[in-house]
Amino acid sequence: MGYPVGDKILLEVAERIKASLRGSDIVCRWGDDKFMILFPKISHGDDLEKITQRLLNNIGESLQLSEKVLYLEYSMGCAIYPQDGHDSKTLLRQAESRLTNHKKEMRAKNKRYNLTIDPKASKLLKAKTALEEALKHQELELYCQPQIKIRTGEISGVEALIRWNHPELGQIKPQKFIPVAEQTDSIISIGEWVLRQACLQNRTWQDMGLPNLIMSVNLSPLQLKDTNFINLVESILGETKLAPQWLELEITEKAILANTEIAHQVLQNLRQLGIHLSMDDFGTGYSCLNHLPKFPLWHLKNRSVLCTRNNRKTRKYCYYFSSYRFGKQFGLTGYCRRG
């Protein structure tokens, strides 16, 4: 891009840094692409963490020059006096060492992104920027997969699925980009889009006079931790005028067991709104059956690989069948998902 563009980037970052600092803080350029900041009157890591977090939030992860969106990569190393040293040389050496370690961590993270996305996606400048652009330019599309009662063939509900129609790479399946979205926190905005579109679609069907169906939407573990999630769900239901009994939220077994206290509270709040709840991929992780009665669940969902005729003599199938019967004792309905 050349030196002029590089200079513009440095100037923009410098302005963002200055806007983040207190009046007593000092910032200077320390090399070609480095800035050094002196924070007076900081005696422990908690204060430094708050200030640096504000700094990172204000710098952001992208900036726009002309018509191009550029993704910023930056690393940070900190040292505190007197814990990390009593003179400037020692403190700088400690900060440089931590900066180097942070760069290594960032490279490892970027490598994971590349492994997660399809090889064709190497054409993308950065995964997070591409996903944000996909939302902005309406490249994401909602698909609805019917849920069918085996005995009657009746459609009992639908599950909302997402596809990414990339202008260069074509259609990208969620297995390729959802893990990246979760690593970059883009899943919060994508999850909000899916929830809103799913509720809007279900309400549209109802307005057309079609039979009422429950729309099932997958919930990310990061959404489960989002303190604003309950308010968001209420807002979307009000905005789309969809009654809560026609919405179901799915959370994986792994996500529930990762933090049972948070999961229990969030699911209880959702249940109080009248929303259906289900545990997805049940039986594929480290299942603990004594957790089932503790959560306000309606359904258990399993992958079809556990339910096929060829697997009926395997330990996995026996485990699934026993778990299903156990759940049924608590009024939970079982689903078997294809794919």
Side-chain angles (χ1 to χ4, degrees):
M1 291 184 289
Y3 289 107
V5 175
D7 289 341
K8 289 182 180 179
I9 294 174
L10 288 173
L11 286 171
E12 176 61 26
V13 171
E15 289 298 321
R16 294 183 183 185
I17 291 175
K18 288 169 61 178
S20 309
L21 302 181
R22 306 167 300 176
S24 59
D25 300 332
I26 301 171
V27 60
C28 66
R29 190 172 173 186
W30 192 261
D32 292 338
D33 59 350
K34 294 180 182 178
F35 293 91
M36 184 173 69
I37 307 172
L38 177 63
F39 300 109
K41 301 178 182 179
I42 289 183
S43 57
H44 51 82
D46 290 341
D47 292 339
L48 181 61
E49 184 176 352
K50 292 177 182 178
I51 295 174
T52 54
Q53 187 59 54
R54 182 174 70 246
L55 182 66
L56 294 176
N57 291 339
N58 287 347
I59 293 176
E61 296 184 344
S62 64
L63 59 84
Q64 186 163 351
L65 292 179
S66 299
E67 297 181 354
K68 292 185 177 180
V69 177
L70 303 179
Y71 187 89
L72 298 176
E73 283 187 352
Y74 47 85
S75 304
M76 180 181 292
C78 302
I80 303 175
Y81 171 88
Q83 292 93 321
D84 296 318
H86 291 81
D87 59 86
S88 59
K89 289 184 178 180
T90 303
L91 290 170
L92 283 172
R93 187 166 59 248
Q94 288 282 7
E96 286 280 0
S97 175
R98 288 168 183 168
L99 174 65
T100 301
N101 291 336
H102 192 196
K103 285 182 178 180
K104 291 179 180 178
E105 292 175 4
M106 293 301 293
R107 290 194 190 102
K109 184 181 291 187
N110 287 335
K111 186 176 181 180
R112 287 200 298 272
Y113 294 165
N114 291 335
L115 287 174
T116 305
I117 299 181
D118 189 274
K120 293 181 180 179
S122 60
K123 298 179 181 179
L124 300 176
L125 182 60
K126 291 293 175 184
K128 181 176 175 65
T129 301
L131 287 169
E132 290 174 349
E133 290 295 297
L135 273 172
K136 180 180 178 181
H137 297 296
Q138 300 181 347
E139 296 172 8
L140 301 181
E141 187 175 4
L142 193 75
Y143 281 66
C144 294
Q145 177 174 276
Q147 297 172 342
I148 300 174
K149 293 182 179 179
I150 296 177
R151 293 182 179 178
T152 63
E154 176 188 0
I155 296 178
S156 59
V158 290
E159 179 177 358
L161 305 175
I162 186 174
R163 297 292 185 270
W164 180 4
N165 294 317
H166 193 276
E168 296 180 12
L169 307 178
Q171 190 177 86
I172 304 176
K173 293 184 178 181
Q175 297 92 322
K176 300 296 182 181
F177 66 87
I178 290 299
V180 177
E182 290 181 335
Q183 292 178 46
T184 61
D185 292 346
S186 299
I187 194 64
I188 299 296
S189 53
I190 291 176
E192 179 180 344
W193 181 88
V194 172
L195 181 60
R196 179 173 284 104
Q197 294 300 314
C199 291
L200 184 61
Q201 180 63 71
N202 202 7
R203 180 63 193 186
T204 300
W205 285 335
Q206 292 178 358
D207 291 341
M208 293 171 61
L210 297 177
N212 291 334
L213 295 172
I214 295 176
M215 175 69 78
S216 182
V217 179
N218 289 285
L219 181 61
S220 164
L222 291 181
Q223 290 175 285
L224 197 66
K225 297 177 182 178
D226 185 3
T227 55
N228 191 50
F229 182 68
I230 302 298
N231 293 332
L232 175 66
V233 173
E234 287 187 279
S235 175
I236 290 177
L237 288 173
E239 174 188 328
T240 59
K241 296 181 173 58
L242 180 70
Q245 65 263 32
W246 303 117
L247 173 65
E248 177 179 79
L249 295 177
E250 297 183 16
I251 183 70
T252 63
E253 175 187 27
K254 182 179 179 181
I256 289 178
L257 298 182
N259 195 323
T260 55
E261 291 185 7
I262 292 179
H264 184 269
Q265 184 60 53
V266 173
L267 296 181
Q268 285 286 1
N269 291 339
L270 291 170
R271 180 65 179 268
Q272 289 175 5
L273 294 178
I275 295 171
H276 292 248
L277 301 168
S278 66
M279 181 186 288
D280 197 13
D281 286 347
F282 180 69
T284 59
Y286 298 98
S287 300
C288 190
L289 297 181
N290 68 336
H291 282 292
L292 284 180
K294 299 179 182 179
F295 294 100
L297 301 170
W298 290 59
H299 304 128
L300 298 178
K301 296 192 176 184
N302 308 82
R303 294 182 181 179
S304 59
V305 67
L306 297 176
C307 314
T308 58
R309 180 175 298 178
N310 293 335
N311 282 334
R312 289 189 177 179
K313 294 183 180 180
T314 65
R315 290 185 177 181
K316 281 187 176 181
Y317 177 79
C318 293
Y319 175 77
Y320 156 73
F321 188 71
S322 299
S323 303
Y324 168 73
R325 295 193 65 178
F326 180 85
K328 194 173 182 180
Q329 298 298 316
F330 294 92
L332 301 178
T333 306
Y335 281 85
C336 187
R337 174 170 55 83
R338 292 187 61 84

